[in-house]
Amino acid sequence: MCGIVGCILNKEVAPTIIESIKKLEYRGYDSVGIATLTDKINVKKGSGKIKEVDDQIHLTEIDGNIGIAHVRWATHGNPTKENAHPHNSCDNKISVVHNGIIENYKELREELEKEGHTFKSETDTEVIPHLIEKYTKQGNDLLHATQKTINKLIGSYALAAISIDEPDKIIGARKESPLIVGVSEDGNFLASDVPAILNETRQVIYLDDNEIIQLEKDNVTVMNNQLEPIKKEVVTIDWNPEMAEKGGYPHFMLKEINEEPQVIKDTLSESPKIKEIVSKFKNFNRICFVACGTSYHASLIGEYLIETQLHIPTEVILASEFEYFQNTLDDHTLVIFITQSGETADTLKALKTAKKVSETLAIVNVVGSSITREADHVIYTRAGPEIGVAATKTYLSQLICIYLLVAHLSDDTWLIDKLSKLHDYSLNSLKHEENIKNIAKKYKSASDFFYIGRGFNYPTALEGALKLKEITYIHAEGYPSGELKHGPLALIDEGIPVVGILPPGPSYPKTYNNLQEIKARGANMIILGSEEDTQINQIENKILFNPGIDEIIAPLIYIIDLQLLSYYTSIEKKIDPDKPKNLAKSVTVV
Ligand code: M6R
């Protein structure tokens, strides 16, 4: 899981490439490197975040009009300078950056070592420049040598290669890892994702699996694996560069939370398209959601909605556990894959299996991502680029798509009416910032947090807890409120913060009673409830929402303030919420 960039310009390329690679830091941030071509290959690389490495070795101070760069999230080999990309051939004539995993690298490395190649890193990637070197020495040009190389690789890759013998081009290739091309009058670009090139161009070509690309300053040729040219559509991206920047906020996460009112409007505008997709579904009598992490929590809310509103048997499967449940799928099951990135390897793998027997729908944020190209139907969540590792606005947009899906499946307008008020409700939720900052200050030193909710708001408790542990490193658990007395209540002690999700609705009395049981054990209650709720007046820590927000609609609004609570707790603990340790935005390994 890494980010790659390649770029050819008629000026010094390093400043542009380093700006581009910074936009991909969400894909990994344990090391960074750049290679450019002059009369030799120039490489600068180091371990650490881009800024740290740049401060030490000045990544932009490197000559050349053509170059490649990489940010790494380690899979094979520790995050060291030696393992940082780019990796070169023995003769230092070829340099390569790669995102993905080469599964047969051990065998390939052994073969190459027997042939006399010397390796400098522990990475799977390093076999690629050595293989290209081998094939160029047999008389192939860079393009043909790369083609022969990828034919030897088992696994996934998005790669870019340069050679001093052909100093006017970059060769790229993709299989199961994302790669896009940016086209402009000043030069051409390769990148793992669109934000990397938005400062330079909005004209994009999405590459598909097994495609190879030759990038020259004034020319872009996309080919199939036999090197036959393919005509590709150039898409104009409507995200502007500012949308991919922090927009004046200290962190992407805070910016992205503040974008939620707009995301609500943008995603609701997909309603007609969702209606059309629903009309194309074949007959089904069962629904199965497949997802990971935050997208899994959105799926759980889908399960509650569908079971209660549509009475269709529904289950939710973690993508990484899918293989144990796949045998009961049939052609009367609709399988729904939820993923913001559209690249999550577990989810992609499950989709490839499910589509053999069932109709598939993907709910995805990233246009043109791998999962959108595999599913029978695609709904886009329209959250725009999300850079913070913690999913915030994409979660909300996934929920809106699920609610719209249910509304159109049931042909009911009452749910659509409820959704039409979301924008105003969300503006109100953002006004709680000062109150939330104070709560975060009070409980920043807690070692454990519990979140409880019932029904539609049990997944909200899970998501609130995930957000907290992810960016504050505080141990947090979400429970259905009725479940505590069956075990976890033993953990409740004097002073432990418990977040109670208590919107008005049929589940209110039971959840209220469960909260009393917890309070009696000395917990510090943080209650999310309605402004009209007189029973919670005496509670010190409360976050109050507009009265119209009942328990069905609460998951879409209460989560905004739970995201803010995690964000400000992270700030109090002096943690960078955009880059939590050990995590990456797009998890492209199984
Ligand atoms: O891109 P996806 O939605 O498929 O990602 C799934 C999870 O990795 C993701 O939701 C993760 O749990 C979030 N970063 C948590 O905030």
Side-chain angles (χ1 to χ4, degrees):
M1 180 155 28
C2 307
I4 70 168
V5 171
C7 168
I8 309 182
L9 298 172
N10 52 11
K11 61 176 184 184
E12 289 297 320
V13 85
T16 307
I17 285 204
I18 295 304
E19 276 314 300
S20 295
I21 204 77
K22 280 182 188 164
K23 303 290 185 317
L24 298 182
E25 219 178 356
Y26 72 89
R27 301 181 65 84
Y29 33 78
D30 60 39
S31 58
V32 58
I34 177 171
T36 59
L37 277 179
T38 48
D39 54 343
K40 60 181 185 2
I41 292 208
N42 314 289
V43 175
K44 284 196 172 197
K45 60 185 183 178
S47 70
K49 292 182 181 164
I50 298 176
K51 179 155 187 336
E52 293 159 6
V53 178
D54 194 29
D55 284 349
Q56 283 168 19
I57 60 169
H58 310 293
L59 290 163
T60 52
E61 291 172 14
I62 182 168
D63 293 337
N65 294 359
I66 169 165
I68 54 179
H70 186 271
V71 273
R72 179 164 187 255
W73 187 77
T75 56
H76 292 75
N78 293 335
T80 59
K81 180 181 173 192
E82 291 67 37
N83 289 333
H85 299 213
H87 292 289
N88 288 2
S89 54
C90 293
D91 58 9
N92 282 320
K93 284 182 154 193
I94 291 150
S95 193
V96 169
V97 289
H98 162 233
N99 167 36
I101 291 183
I102 308 304
E103 290 165 17
N104 59 336
Y105 82 100
K106 281 197 182 126
E107 300 89 293
L108 292 171
R109 184 173 171 143
E110 271 169 32
E111 255 177 54
L112 287 159
E113 280 174 337
K114 275 189 203 141
E115 291 168 15
H117 289 260
T118 310
F119 282 73
K120 299 186 190 77
S121 77
E122 304 159 281
T123 63
D124 52 336
T125 299
E126 203 187 338
V127 297
I128 302 173
H130 290 286
L131 280 170
I132 297 178
E133 176 181 32
K134 169 177 163 170
Y135 293 121
T136 48
K137 284 192 169 153
Q138 291 172 1
N140 295 288
D141 61 10
L142 182 62
L143 176 63
H144 287 83
T146 306
Q147 179 208 27
K148 286 191 184 319
T149 297
I150 59 179
N151 285 342
K152 295 276 283 183
L153 304 180
I154 298 173
S156 57
Y157 51 81
L159 62 88
I162 50 175
S163 161
I164 55 171
D165 290 333
E166 293 171 67
D168 59 342
K169 60 177 69 102
I170 301 175
I171 303 297
R174 89 152 260 178
K175 183 180 164 242
E176 292 168 18
S177 291
L179 192 60
I180 58 119
V181 178
V183 186
S184 89
E185 282 181 4
D186 300 327
N188 292 315
F189 306 83
L190 268 179
S192 297
D193 197 1
V194 171
I197 51 128
L198 279 182
N199 275 337
E200 307 303 322
T201 179
R202 288 163 60 186
Q203 304 298 306
V204 168
I205 300 171
Y206 288 97
L207 296 182
D208 284 298
D209 276 352
N210 303 313
E211 288 180 348
I212 299 177
I213 176 138
Q214 177 162 294
L215 205 73
E216 292 157 289
K217 165 133 188 325
D218 299 312
N219 206 16
V220 167
T221 316
V222 182
M223 291 156 275
N224 63 18
N225 192 259
Q226 277 70 54
L227 301 184
E228 295 157 341
I230 308 172
K231 205 167 163 26
K232 299 284 287 190
E233 190 190 355
V234 179
V235 180
T236 304
I237 297 294
D238 58 5
W239 299 354
N240 60 38
E242 293 74 46
M243 285 169 79
E245 300 286 348
K246 284 189 198 149
Y249 289 95
H251 297 99
F252 282 112
M253 183 177 176
L254 188 59
K255 170 179 174 266
E256 287 156 5
I257 294 171
N258 276 277
E259 284 170 348
E260 286 179 306
Q262 185 58 44
V263 167
I264 289 172
K265 280 191 173 171
D266 293 346
T267 309
L268 284 176
S269 73
E270 291 298 294
S271 182
K273 284 193 200 145
I274 295 176
K275 189 172 182 180
E276 199 189 318
I277 288 171
V278 163
S279 73
K280 291 184 187 150
F281 287 152
K282 296 184 200 133
N283 275 338
F284 61 88
N285 54 24
R286 175 186 172 215
I287 292 178
C288 181
F289 284 93
V290 182
C292 307
T294 289
S295 301
Y296 172 76
H297 297 152
S299 305
L300 287 175
I301 293 178
E303 181 185 25
Y304 276 90
L305 260 186
I306 293 168
E307 289 269 352
T308 58
Q309 311 305 308
L310 303 177
H311 307 173
I312 299 173
T314 304
E315 67 200 291
V316 185
I317 303 171
L318 282 166
S320 56
E321 295 286 308
F322 181 75
E323 62 186 285
Y324 307 103
F325 298 94
Q326 67 193 39
N327 295 333
T328 58
L329 294 185
D330 58 22
D331 58 358
H332 284 93
T333 307
L334 173 67
V335 191
I336 305 179
F337 294 83
I338 306 211
T339 165
Q340 74 79 25
S341 62
E343 298 293 347
T344 302
D346 287 319
T347 312
L348 180 58
K349 190 169 168 232
L351 168 55
K352 284 181 176 167
T353 306
K355 69 187 270 195
K356 291 180 192 150
V357 280
S358 299
E359 190 171 21
T360 57
L361 164 70
I363 300 182
V364 184
N365 192 45
V366 179
V367 179
S369 56
S370 303
I371 283 176
T372 64
R373 280 176 278 126
E374 294 286 340
D376 297 317
H377 313 280
V378 178
I379 293 174
Y380 285 111
T381 51
R382 301 293 175 210
E386 186 177 73
I387 308 297
V389 165
T392 52
K393 60 178 181 167
T394 55
Y395 174 70
L396 182 55
S397 64
Q398 289 170 344
L399 288 182
I400 293 171
C401 288
I402 293 170
Y403 278 67
L404 285 172
L405 189 67
V406 172
H408 291 305
L409 278 168
S410 61
D411 228 356
D412 251 331
T413 51
W414 67 269
L415 198 49
I416 304 262
D417 281 350
K418 273 183 187 288
L419 295 176
S420 68
K421 305 202 176 74
L422 283 182
H423 179 257
D424 289 349
Y425 291 153
S426 65
L427 290 173
N428 200 54
S429 293
L430 289 171
K431 291 188 185 147
H432 300 151
E433 215 166 344
E434 286 310 311
N435 180 17
I436 292 169
K437 274 187 200 169
N438 288 333
I439 297 174
K441 212 171 260 164
K442 251 193 229 171
Y443 298 112
K444 66 177 179 199
S445 305
S447 55
D448 306 276
F449 252 79
F450 290 89
Y451 287 70
I452 67 162
R454 187 179 281 263
F456 302 102
N457 292 287
Y458 159 49
T460 307
L462 292 176
E463 176 58 12
L466 174 65
K467 217 83 309 175
L468 193 80
K469 59 188 139 190
E470 190 181 16
I471 60 165
T472 70
Y473 317 149
I474 296 174
H475 167 246
E477 300 289 344
Y479 284 106
S481 52
E483 193 57 22
L484 267 110
K485 56 185 176 293
H486 298 291
L489 205 53
L491 297 170
I492 303 296
D493 255 329
E494 200 66 39
I496 287 203
V498 176
V499 178
I501 301 160
L502 191 63
S507 74
Y508 179 96
K510 286 188 199 136
T511 310
Y512 183 80
N513 287 340
N514 298 140
L515 287 166
Q516 296 308 309
E517 289 156 17
I518 295 164
K519 198 173 159 216
R521 269 85 187 169
N524 278 324
M525 311 302 298
I526 301 162
I527 301 293
L528 281 73
S530 165
E531 280 165 13
E532 281 188 332
D533 185 343
T534 49
Q535 291 205 93
I536 57 175
N537 273 346
Q538 75 287 5
I539 293 191
E540 193 187 333
N541 306 305
K542 49 187 176 292
I543 304 170
L544 300 177
F545 296 84
N546 294 135
I549 306 172
D550 62 18
E551 63 179 47
I552 293 197
I553 219 77
L556 298 143
I557 294 299
Y558 282 27
I559 193 61
I560 298 173
D561 286 1
L562 293 180
Q563 292 165 351
L564 283 172
L565 180 62
S566 300
Y567 173 78
Y568 281 111
T569 310
S570 168
I571 299 307
E572 284 294 329
K573 293 177 76 78
K574 308 212 180 322
I575 292 168
D576 179 351
D578 286 342
K579 295 178 188 134
K581 69 174 155 61
N582 304 337
L583 300 177
K585 184 74 184 160
S586 187
V587 185
T588 51
V589 287
V590 287

PDB file of all heavy atoms in Angstrom, residues 114-135:
ATOM      1  N   LYS A 114      21.079 -16.150  -8.758  1.00  0.00           N
ATOM      2  CA  LYS A 114      21.895 -17.202  -9.404  1.00  0.00           C
ATOM      3  C   LYS A 114      22.505 -16.674 -10.700  1.00  0.00           C
ATOM      4  O   LYS A 114      23.590 -17.069 -11.111  1.00  0.00           O
ATOM      5  CB  LYS A 114      21.024 -18.424  -9.703  1.00  0.00           C
ATOM      6  CG  LYS A 114      20.925 -19.352  -8.513  1.00  0.00           C
ATOM      7  CD  LYS A 114      20.234 -20.664  -8.898  1.00  0.00           C
ATOM      8  CE  LYS A 114      19.643 -21.307  -7.669  1.00  0.00           C
ATOM      9  NZ  LYS A 114      18.351 -21.929  -7.880  1.00  0.00           N
ATOM     10  N   GLU A 115      21.768 -15.758 -11.353  1.00  0.00           N
ATOM     11  CA  GLU A 115      22.272 -15.201 -12.621  1.00  0.00           C
ATOM     12  C   GLU A 115      23.264 -14.061 -12.385  1.00  0.00           C
ATOM     13  O   GLU A 115      23.737 -13.441 -13.330  1.00  0.00           O
ATOM     14  CB  GLU A 115      21.089 -14.693 -13.456  1.00  0.00           C
ATOM     15  CG  GLU A 115      20.212 -15.828 -13.979  1.00  0.00           C
ATOM     16  CD  GLU A 115      18.879 -15.327 -14.548  1.00  0.00           C
ATOM     17  OE1 GLU A 115      18.748 -14.110 -14.808  1.00  0.00           O
ATOM     18  OE2 GLU A 115      17.978 -16.156 -14.715  1.00  0.00           O
ATOM     19  N   GLY A 116      23.528 -13.739 -11.113  1.00  0.00           N
ATOM     20  CA  GLY A 116      24.560 -12.742 -10.814  1.00  0.00           C
ATOM     21  C   GLY A 116      24.053 -11.388 -10.359  1.00  0.00           C
ATOM     22  O   GLY A 116      24.835 -10.457 -10.136  1.00  0.00           O
ATOM     23  N   HIS A 117      22.728 -11.230 -10.192  1.00  0.00           N
ATOM     24  CA  HIS A 117      22.205  -9.924  -9.742  1.00  0.00           C
ATOM     25  C   HIS A 117      22.412  -9.753  -8.241  1.00  0.00           C
ATOM     26  O   HIS A 117      22.272 -10.709  -7.477  1.00  0.00           O
ATOM     27  CB  HIS A 117      20.711  -9.815 -10.063  1.00  0.00           C
ATOM     28  CG  HIS A 117      20.430  -9.678 -11.523  1.00  0.00           C
ATOM     29  ND1 HIS A 117      20.153  -8.464 -12.115  1.00  0.00           N
ATOM     30  CD2 HIS A 117      20.422 -10.592 -12.518  1.00  0.00           C
ATOM     31  CE1 HIS A 117      19.963  -8.646 -13.408  1.00  0.00           C
ATOM     32  NE2 HIS A 117      20.121  -9.933 -13.683  1.00  0.00           N
ATOM     33  N   THR A 118      22.736  -8.536  -7.837  1.00  0.00           N
ATOM     34  CA  THR A 118      22.942  -8.254  -6.417  1.00  0.00           C
ATOM     35  C   THR A 118      21.807  -7.365  -5.921  1.00  0.00           C
ATOM     36  O   THR A 118      21.507  -6.337  -6.543  1.00  0.00           O
ATOM     37  CB  THR A 118      24.274  -7.504  -6.211  1.00  0.00           C
ATOM     38  OG1 THR A 118      25.271  -8.231  -6.901  1.00  0.00           O
ATOM     39  CG2 THR A 118      24.628  -7.376  -4.741  1.00  0.00           C
ATOM     40  N   PHE A 119      21.198  -7.764  -4.803  1.00  0.00           N
ATOM     41  CA  PHE A 119      20.055  -7.014  -4.263  1.00  0.00           C
ATOM     42  C   PHE A 119      20.505  -6.137  -3.095  1.00  0.00           C
ATOM     43  O   PHE A 119      21.358  -6.519  -2.312  1.00  0.00           O
ATOM     44  CB  PHE A 119      18.963  -7.989  -3.825  1.00  0.00           C
ATOM     45  CG  PHE A 119      18.167  -8.526  -4.983  1.00  0.00           C
ATOM     46  CD1 PHE A 119      18.729  -9.461  -5.860  1.00  0.00           C
ATOM     47  CD2 PHE A 119      16.882  -8.081  -5.218  1.00  0.00           C
ATOM     48  CE1 PHE A 119      18.007  -9.944  -6.934  1.00  0.00           C
ATOM     49  CE2 PHE A 119      16.149  -8.559  -6.296  1.00  0.00           C
ATOM     50  CZ  PHE A 119      16.708  -9.494  -7.159  1.00  0.00           C
ATOM     51  N   LYS A 120      19.877  -4.953  -2.996  1.00  0.00           N
ATOM     52  CA  LYS A 120      20.284  -4.028  -1.927  1.00  0.00           C
ATOM     53  C   LYS A 120      19.206  -3.876  -0.851  1.00  0.00           C
ATOM     54  O   LYS A 120      19.431  -3.230   0.157  1.00  0.00           O
ATOM     55  CB  LYS A 120      20.569  -2.657  -2.535  1.00  0.00           C
ATOM     56  CG  LYS A 120      21.697  -2.670  -3.559  1.00  0.00           C
ATOM     57  CD  LYS A 120      22.022  -1.243  -3.997  1.00  0.00           C
ATOM     58  CE  LYS A 120      22.960  -1.222  -5.177  1.00  0.00           C
ATOM     59  NZ  LYS A 120      22.304  -1.524  -6.463  1.00  0.00           N
ATOM     60  N   SER A 121      17.999  -4.412  -1.119  1.00  0.00           N
ATOM     61  CA  SER A 121      16.912  -4.220  -0.148  1.00  0.00           C
ATOM     62  C   SER A 121      16.246  -5.555   0.167  1.00  0.00           C
ATOM     63  O   SER A 121      16.546  -6.568  -0.453  1.00  0.00           O
ATOM     64  CB  SER A 121      15.856  -3.269  -0.730  1.00  0.00           C
ATOM     65  OG  SER A 121      15.052  -3.961  -1.673  1.00  0.00           O
ATOM     66  N   GLU A 122      15.305  -5.497   1.129  1.00  0.00           N
ATOM     67  CA  GLU A 122      14.535  -6.723   1.453  1.00  0.00           C
ATOM     68  C   GLU A 122      13.190  -6.717   0.737  1.00  0.00           C
ATOM     69  O   GLU A 122      12.340  -7.554   1.004  1.00  0.00           O
ATOM     70  CB  GLU A 122      14.220  -6.740   2.960  1.00  0.00           C
ATOM     71  CG  GLU A 122      15.405  -6.630   3.881  1.00  0.00           C
ATOM     72  CD  GLU A 122      14.940  -6.140   5.246  1.00  0.00           C
ATOM     73  OE1 GLU A 122      14.705  -4.925   5.399  1.00  0.00           O
ATOM     74  OE2 GLU A 122      14.800  -6.967   6.160  1.00  0.00           O
ATOM     75  N   THR A 123      12.967  -5.778  -0.162  1.00  0.00           N
ATOM     76  CA  THR A 123      11.622  -5.618  -0.725  1.00  0.00           C
ATOM     77  C   THR A 123      11.321  -6.620  -1.825  1.00  0.00           C
ATOM     78  O   THR A 123      12.221  -7.141  -2.490  1.00  0.00           O
ATOM     79  CB  THR A 123      11.456  -4.217  -1.351  1.00  0.00           C
ATOM     80  OG1 THR A 123      12.383  -4.107  -2.441  1.00  0.00           O
ATOM     81  CG2 THR A 123      11.735  -3.118  -0.355  1.00  0.00           C
ATOM     82  N   ASP A 124      10.012  -6.851  -2.013  1.00  0.00           N
ATOM     83  CA  ASP A 124       9.558  -7.647  -3.150  1.00  0.00           C
ATOM     84  C   ASP A 124       9.777  -6.867  -4.450  1.00  0.00           C
ATOM     85  O   ASP A 124      10.068  -7.435  -5.500  1.00  0.00           O
ATOM     86  CB  ASP A 124       8.077  -8.011  -2.974  1.00  0.00           C
ATOM     87  CG  ASP A 124       7.189  -6.805  -2.693  1.00  0.00           C
ATOM     88  OD1 ASP A 124       7.709  -5.791  -2.195  1.00  0.00           O
ATOM     89  OD2 ASP A 124       5.980  -6.869  -2.957  1.00  0.00           O
ATOM     90  N   THR A 125       9.686  -5.554  -4.362  1.00  0.00           N
ATOM     91  CA  THR A 125       9.765  -4.688  -5.553  1.00  0.00           C
ATOM     92  C   THR A 125      11.083  -4.818  -6.297  1.00  0.00           C
ATOM     93  O   THR A 125      11.128  -4.725  -7.531  1.00  0.00           O
ATOM     94  CB  THR A 125       9.593  -3.208  -5.113  1.00  0.00           C
ATOM     95  OG1 THR A 125       8.319  -3.082  -4.517  1.00  0.00           O
ATOM     96  CG2 THR A 125       9.730  -2.248  -6.277  1.00  0.00           C
ATOM     97  N   GLU A 126      12.171  -5.049  -5.554  1.00  0.00           N
ATOM     98  CA  GLU A 126      13.490  -4.932  -6.195  1.00  0.00           C
ATOM     99  C   GLU A 126      13.690  -5.943  -7.324  1.00  0.00           C
ATOM    100  O   GLU A 126      14.540  -5.735  -8.200  1.00  0.00           O
ATOM    101  CB  GLU A 126      14.614  -5.032  -5.142  1.00  0.00           C
ATOM    102  CG  GLU A 126      15.884  -4.364  -5.666  1.00  0.00           C
ATOM    103  CD  GLU A 126      17.089  -4.563  -4.756  1.00  0.00           C
ATOM    104  OE1 GLU A 126      16.908  -4.838  -3.550  1.00  0.00           O
ATOM    105  OE2 GLU A 126      18.220  -4.440  -5.280  1.00  0.00           O
ATOM    106  N   VAL A 127      12.864  -7.013  -7.343  1.00  0.00           N
ATOM    107  CA  VAL A 127      13.018  -7.951  -8.474  1.00  0.00           C
ATOM    108  C   VAL A 127      12.667  -7.259  -9.802  1.00  0.00           C
ATOM    109  O   VAL A 127      13.158  -7.662 -10.859  1.00  0.00           O
ATOM    110  CB  VAL A 127      12.153  -9.233  -8.309  1.00  0.00           C
ATOM    111  CG1 VAL A 127      12.580 -10.022  -7.095  1.00  0.00           C
ATOM    112  CG2 VAL A 127      10.662  -8.928  -8.269  1.00  0.00           C
ATOM    113  N   ILE A 128      11.837  -6.216  -9.741  1.00  0.00           N
ATOM    114  CA  ILE A 128      11.346  -5.609 -10.999  1.00  0.00           C
ATOM    115  C   ILE A 128      12.479  -4.926 -11.782  1.00  0.00           C
ATOM    116  O   ILE A 128      12.692  -5.246 -12.956  1.00  0.00           O
ATOM    117  CB  ILE A 128      10.152  -4.659 -10.734  1.00  0.00           C
ATOM    118  CG1 ILE A 128       9.018  -5.445 -10.053  1.00  0.00           C
ATOM    119  CG2 ILE A 128       9.673  -4.017 -12.032  1.00  0.00           C
ATOM    120  CD1 ILE A 128       7.841  -4.591  -9.589  1.00  0.00           C
ATOM    121  N   PRO A 129      13.244  -3.988 -11.165  1.00  0.00           N
ATOM    122  CA  PRO A 129      14.328  -3.389 -11.965  1.00  0.00           C
ATOM    123  C   PRO A 129      15.357  -4.410 -12.432  1.00  0.00           C
ATOM    124  O   PRO A 129      15.913  -4.271 -13.534  1.00  0.00           O
ATOM    125  CB  PRO A 129      14.956  -2.353 -11.017  1.00  0.00           C
ATOM    126  CG  PRO A 129      14.495  -2.716  -9.654  1.00  0.00           C
ATOM    127  CD  PRO A 129      13.163  -3.378  -9.824  1.00  0.00           C
ATOM    128  N   HIS A 130      15.596  -5.459 -11.620  1.00  0.00           N
ATOM    129  CA  HIS A 130      16.575  -6.472 -12.051  1.00  0.00           C
ATOM    130  C   HIS A 130      16.047  -7.270 -13.240  1.00  0.00           C
ATOM    131  O   HIS A 130      16.807  -7.595 -14.163  1.00  0.00           O
ATOM    132  CB  HIS A 130      16.921  -7.404 -10.881  1.00  0.00           C
ATOM    133  CG  HIS A 130      17.720  -6.709  -9.818  1.00  0.00           C
ATOM    134  ND1 HIS A 130      19.057  -6.385  -9.973  1.00  0.00           N
ATOM    135  CD2 HIS A 130      17.366  -6.247  -8.601  1.00  0.00           C
ATOM    136  CE1 HIS A 130      19.483  -5.762  -8.873  1.00  0.00           C
ATOM    137  NE2 HIS A 130      18.482  -5.667  -8.039  1.00  0.00           N
ATOM    138  N   LEU A 131      14.735  -7.579 -13.226  1.00  0.00           N
ATOM    139  CA  LEU A 131      14.170  -8.305 -14.377  1.00  0.00           C
ATOM    140  C   LEU A 131      14.214  -7.421 -15.630  1.00  0.00           C
ATOM    141  O   LEU A 131      14.563  -7.885 -16.720  1.00  0.00           O
ATOM    142  CB  LEU A 131      12.717  -8.710 -14.081  1.00  0.00           C
ATOM    143  CG  LEU A 131      12.532  -9.957 -13.211  1.00  0.00           C
ATOM    144  CD1 LEU A 131      11.071 -10.096 -12.787  1.00  0.00           C
ATOM    145  CD2 LEU A 131      12.986 -11.220 -13.959  1.00  0.00           C
ATOM    146  N   ILE A 132      13.874  -6.144 -15.461  1.00  0.00           N
ATOM    147  CA  ILE A 132      13.905  -5.246 -16.633  1.00  0.00           C
ATOM    148  C   ILE A 132      15.341  -5.166 -17.176  1.00  0.00           C
ATOM    149  O   ILE A 132      15.580  -5.214 -18.394  1.00  0.00           O
ATOM    150  CB  ILE A 132      13.356  -3.836 -16.276  1.00  0.00           C
ATOM    151  CG1 ILE A 132      11.876  -3.940 -15.859  1.00  0.00           C
ATOM    152  CG2 ILE A 132      13.501  -2.875 -17.461  1.00  0.00           C
ATOM    153  CD1 ILE A 132      11.241  -2.621 -15.429  1.00  0.00           C
ATOM    154  N   GLU A 133      16.293  -5.083 -16.253  1.00  0.00           N
ATOM    155  CA  GLU A 133      17.702  -5.038 -16.673  1.00  0.00           C
ATOM    156  C   GLU A 133      18.057  -6.292 -17.492  1.00  0.00           C
ATOM    157  O   GLU A 133      18.666  -6.214 -18.561  1.00  0.00           O
ATOM    158  CB  GLU A 133      18.589  -4.962 -15.423  1.00  0.00           C
ATOM    159  CG  GLU A 133      20.079  -4.998 -15.709  1.00  0.00           C
ATOM    160  CD  GLU A 133      20.898  -4.938 -14.413  1.00  0.00           C
ATOM    161  OE1 GLU A 133      20.440  -5.457 -13.371  1.00  0.00           O
ATOM    162  OE2 GLU A 133      21.998  -4.383 -14.451  1.00  0.00           O
ATOM    163  N   LYS A 134      17.636  -7.444 -16.956  1.00  0.00           N
ATOM    164  CA  LYS A 134      17.927  -8.707 -17.633  1.00  0.00           C
ATOM    165  C   LYS A 134      17.385  -8.678 -19.069  1.00  0.00           C
ATOM    166  O   LYS A 134      18.084  -9.044 -20.015  1.00  0.00           O
ATOM    167  CB  LYS A 134      17.274  -9.846 -16.823  1.00  0.00           C
ATOM    168  CG  LYS A 134      17.237 -11.188 -17.493  1.00  0.00           C
ATOM    169  CD  LYS A 134      16.643 -12.224 -16.545  1.00  0.00           C
ATOM    170  CE  LYS A 134      16.204 -13.455 -17.308  1.00  0.00           C
ATOM    171  NZ  LYS A 134      15.854 -14.552 -16.420  1.00  0.00           N
ATOM    172  N   TYR A 135      16.118  -8.209 -19.221  1.00  0.00           N
ATOM    173  CA  TYR A 135      15.509  -8.254 -20.554  1.00  0.00           C
ATOM    174  C   TYR A 135      16.077  -7.165 -21.485  1.00  0.00           C
ATOM    175  O   TYR A 135      16.127  -7.359 -22.689  1.00  0.00           O
ATOM    176  CB  TYR A 135      13.984  -8.162 -20.446  1.00  0.00           C
ATOM    177  CG  TYR A 135      13.402  -9.401 -19.789  1.00  0.00           C
ATOM    178  CD1 TYR A 135      12.660  -9.327 -18.618  1.00  0.00           C
ATOM    179  CD2 TYR A 135      13.639 -10.673 -20.329  1.00  0.00           C
ATOM    180  CE1 TYR A 135      12.167 -10.467 -18.007  1.00  0.00           C
ATOM    181  CE2 TYR A 135      13.154 -11.820 -19.723  1.00  0.00           C
ATOM    182  CZ  TYR A 135      12.422 -11.717 -18.563  1.00  0.00           C
ATOM    183  OH  TYR A 135      11.947 -12.846 -17.959  1.00  0.00           O
TER     184      TYR A 135
END
